[in-house]
Amino acid sequence: MSARAPWVLLVPGDLHTPTGGYAYDRRLLQAWRAQGRAVDVLRLDGDWPHPDAVALARAAAALAALPDGACVVADGLAFGVLAAQVAPHAQRLRWVALVHHPLHLETGLAPALAEGLRRQEGEALRHAHQVVVPSPHTAHDVAALGVPAARIAVVEPGADPVAVPAPRPRAPDGPVELLCVATLTPRKDHGLLLRALGGLLHLDWRLHAVGSATRDAAHARALHALTASGPLAPRVVWHGELAEAALQARYAAADAFVLASRHEGYGMVINEALQHGLPVVASRAGALAQTVPPEAGLLVPAGDESAWRAALAAVIGDAALRARLAAGARAAAQHLPAWPQQAARFAALIDAVVA
């Protein structure tokens, strides 16, 4: 790579934050470096995408310090609200925006805040020479912000090899183990999942919820309160964030994977579920309609409690259906692209921008 055009990965906060977007950033970085690319990481601390004046001033200073000609691959969680800070460097730096999903589509935002984020992100993306998104659905969402289709490219997440044990026999009298891997935020709609499962107490199931309770602590406390007592208390296990080995153990112990999100730009956890041969029940929301293969899972209208209850009842109560969907998941996993392949595709886009 030419010294005249170094690459910089701009990350909002801690690169090791356990979300799909940060996992995408981490695996890109690892694959690029393994392929011999010299990539620096620029960490911008702050409450993204709601930074205060101090975070914005620090971001402006950090961007001003980058050398002329640098190619900045900027995570959209920060880039989308940095239009004013990027504008002075729109020509001297080469900008590639990585949009996991548009900021204004986050669930639970007040209308005025959502509109402000939509406007800010549209302004910021005008400065991007290239916009990369993880799915065709997100490409459509970004185009709606005014970005020409010619400047949008889709690079789906890669998949890492996982050691998947042979399908384990279930004890005939044991519960069906459901797994949900998602941060405890309104967009993931754990509340809907709990309400739907609350109507299935006559079936034998247990829900394991893995995900950070700190991204929206008040929402997480409200969810925990729903299962602190009553009939859901012995049925729902909140694991919080798990280290990788413990997370893989949860996948291995699960009988089905559930994700009730109101929107996803891709849904990388679906790939992990497929690799572990798990039947999937997910919302038909955002890119999930494209991410979940029909032979591997059931897609349910987002927010539809009765439809969710019916889909969960089918998967919990029908072992033959679970086996058929599990076989479909294992077959679909064979066609997932690897991270080195996807990182090379992304790198080719950067090379074209730098050229």
Side-chain angles (χ1 to χ4, degrees):
M1 182 178 56
S2 169
R4 292 184 300 106
W7 291 8
V8 177
L9 179 62
L10 186 156
V11 180
D14 184 0
L15 183 60
H16 297 285
T17 300
T19 70
Y22 284 94
Y24 188 114
D25 295 356
R26 285 195 304 274
R27 288 302 290 113
L28 272 183
L29 179 65
Q30 293 164 4
W32 283 338
R33 287 176 170 172
Q35 292 167 0
R37 303 279 186 168
V39 187
D40 295 328
V41 175
L42 174 59
R43 172 173 171 162
L44 297 182
D45 287 318
D47 181 19
W48 306 100
H50 310 292
D52 59 19
V54 173
L56 290 173
R58 288 176 177 167
L63 299 183
L66 293 175
D68 290 350
C71 184
V72 185
V73 181
D75 187 293
L77 187 63
F79 184 82
V81 292
L82 287 175
Q85 290 71 31
V86 169
H89 312 288
Q91 299 305 315
R92 74 177 194 87
L93 302 176
R94 310 299 288 175
W95 292 94
V96 177
L98 173 52
V99 179
H100 300 292
H101 69 85
L103 301 174
H104 72 284
L105 296 179
E106 188 65 43
T107 300
L109 298 176
L113 178 56
E115 174 57 25
L117 289 171
R118 188 198 63 77
R119 177 183 52 77
Q120 289 182 75
E121 190 161 23
E123 292 175 359
L125 290 174
R126 292 191 186 97
H127 300 305
H129 299 83
Q130 177 74 63
V131 181
V132 179
V133 297
S135 69
H137 187 95
T138 303
H140 180 271
D141 290 338
V142 167
L145 294 172
V147 180
R151 285 202 283 120
I152 305 171
V154 176
V155 179
E156 295 91 347
D160 287 312
V162 296
V164 181
R168 62 184 181 86
R170 286 193 63 257
D173 57 348
V176 173
E177 304 286 356
L178 306 175
L179 175 64
C180 178
V181 180
T183 54
L184 306 191
T185 57
R187 179 164 58 87
K188 304 298 185 176
D189 214 353
H190 292 80
L192 171 74
L193 191 56
L194 294 176
R195 292 192 300 276
L197 287 169
L200 300 175
L201 297 177
H202 59 289
L203 298 177
D204 197 7
W205 57 266
R206 182 161 48 214
L207 173 66
H208 296 269
V210 176
S212 171
T214 63
R215 303 278 291 179
D216 188 332
H219 183 73
R221 286 194 296 272
L223 290 174
H224 290 164
L226 294 176
T227 64
S229 60
L232 290 180
R235 301 269 201 130
V236 178
V237 183
W238 302 99
H239 293 274
E241 294 178 19
L242 292 179
E244 185 62 22
L247 176 60
Q248 294 304 312
R250 287 261 57 91
Y251 275 107
D255 295 305
F257 186 87
V258 295
L259 186 66
S261 296
R262 293 292 183 128
H263 182 86
E264 290 289 346
Y266 184 87
M268 287 175 58
V269 291
I270 298 297
N271 282 0
E272 291 198 65
L274 297 178
Q275 289 182 283
H276 284 82
L278 294 180
V280 174
V281 183
S283 298
R284 187 181 289 108
L288 291 176
Q290 300 162 345
T291 307
V292 179
E295 66 274 18
L298 305 179
L299 286 169
V300 188
D304 188 331
E305 183 178 327
S306 62
W308 261 92
R309 185 172 295 120
L312 290 167
V315 167
I316 294 169
D318 189 340
L321 173 62
R322 289 199 306 276
R324 176 170 61 81
L325 295 176
R330 289 190 293 271
Q334 300 303 310
H335 301 288
L336 294 173
W339 269 114
Q341 171 189 344
Q342 299 307 88
R345 288 184 57 202
F346 202 129
L349 295 169
I350 298 175
D351 287 338
V353 167
V354 171

